[in-house]
Amino acid sequence: MNVDEPQTWPASLAEAVDLQLSLRRLVKLGGRIADPVRTVLGLDVTYDDSSSRIAAAAVVLKADDFTILEEYVVTGTVSFPYVPGLFAFRELPPLIEAMRKVSTIPDVVICDGHGVAHVRRFGLACHVGLVTGLPTIGVAKNNFVGVFSDPGPERGSRTPIRHDGEVVGYAVRTRAEVKPVFVSAGHLIEPTTAVMTVLDLSPRYRIPEPVRHADQLSRRALRS
DNA sequence: GCGACAG
DNA sequence: ATCTTGTCGC
């Protein structure tokens, strides 16, 4: 895959915030993604804070049967502190390296974290969308900004996440009776399409298959 | 001011 | 994120 090198890399937290405020103007919500979706790229990162080690995984799946087409993992060293709202700067360097190994141009990219459901409307999934030019979706295990009511217990149930008077994402029940995931658009996709896509990619477990595989791969890589 | 805070 | 296997229950 072609992945743009982030032109400017922040040297301070304040610069990182400024960069987000600048880049967020380039985010496009909406548009049509491939229908049907044929290939999906899942991304995840695992850390070991004690050793400052980090592993980023990129896994390409066939969307109809979840067959693994490609999988790569890159290990490195943490280069940015964990600051809520800025963790794209922590995860992006190894993720870009991993994505560059991918041959397939996926129809959509699923990121482990938020998209526009973010303090500055520019979460990891938005940033990944800009550097790849591909449709991206953020899927987080915990809510970050805004408020929501608990969706119904059945799989497929969803409720809006409201922040500053707008809907920034959805709490989505991907598995009956299990805590919802928090879905928001990253780039080049419509919020409701993002929700549908995540449900399609989560037939059995809470976490969508692409991210689940990337999580396992990065975890294995760091434990060896 | 206080608490909360994606991974 | 991480410390952590098997086990109980729908």
Side-chain angles (χ1 to χ4, degrees):
Chain A
M1 288 176 49
N2 294 321
V3 184
D4 292 342
E5 191 62 49
Q7 329 70 333
T8 323
W9 204 250
S12 67
L13 300 185
E15 281 184 27
V17 169
D18 288 344
L19 184 56
Q20 289 184 327
L21 293 175
S22 158
L23 290 177
R24 71 176 182 181
R25 296 192 298 258
L26 304 175
V27 170
K28 299 283 185 197
L29 293 193
R32 284 176 282 283
I33 66 170
D35 185 17
V37 167
R38 297 182 185 285
T39 57
V40 191
L41 170 64
L43 302 174
D44 193 25
V45 173
T46 295
Y47 310 94
D48 179 1
D49 284 326
S50 62
S51 66
S52 293
R53 294 254 298 156
I54 186 170
V59 179
V60 179
L61 297 185
K62 208 161 160 288
D64 54 0
D65 60 3
F66 308 112
T67 306
I68 294 178
L69 298 177
E70 297 186 63
E71 55 179 353
Y72 306 97
V73 60
V74 167
T75 60
T77 304
V78 171
S79 61
F80 205 89
Y82 170 64
V83 179
L86 295 179
F87 90 60
F89 298 101
R90 207 170 145 82
E91 304 208 336
L92 222 38
L95 280 177
I96 288 174
E97 261 195 77
M99 287 192 287
R100 284 188 167 144
K101 297 176 179 295
V102 175
S103 306
T104 309
I105 295 179
D107 291 330
V108 62
V109 182
I110 315 290
C111 303
D112 181 41
H114 290 286
V116 295
H118 177 274
V119 279
R120 283 171 292 279
R121 304 289 194 283
F122 193 73
L124 173 68
C126 302
H127 215 140
V128 170
L130 290 188
V131 299
T132 60
L134 297 173
T136 56
I137 300 171
V139 179
K141 294 181 284 299
N142 292 288
N143 194 33
F144 184 30
V145 297
V147 295
F148 66 98
S149 56
D150 203 37
E154 69 280 11
R155 179 187 133 78
S157 178
R158 77 214 56 179
T159 54
I161 302 170
R162 291 196 169 79
H163 184 55
D164 291 342
E166 45 184 301
V167 174
V168 295
Y170 294 88
V172 180
R173 194 85 65 184
T174 49
R175 188 175 174 172
E177 312 288 345
V178 171
K179 176 177 175 170
V181 293
F182 303 88
V183 178
S184 57
H187 186 46
L188 301 176
I189 195 168
E190 206 154 323
T192 50
T193 306
V195 171
M196 281 178 25
T197 305
V198 166
L199 280 168
D200 287 344
L201 295 171
S202 316
R204 176 161 183 199
Y205 300 104
R206 176 185 179 225
I207 305 299
E209 290 299 302
V211 173
R212 208 169 65 80
H213 284 289
D215 175 71
Q216 293 173 349
L217 180 57
S218 60
R219 216 174 279 265
R220 282 185 331 240
L222 213 51
R223 292 191 181 184
S224 54

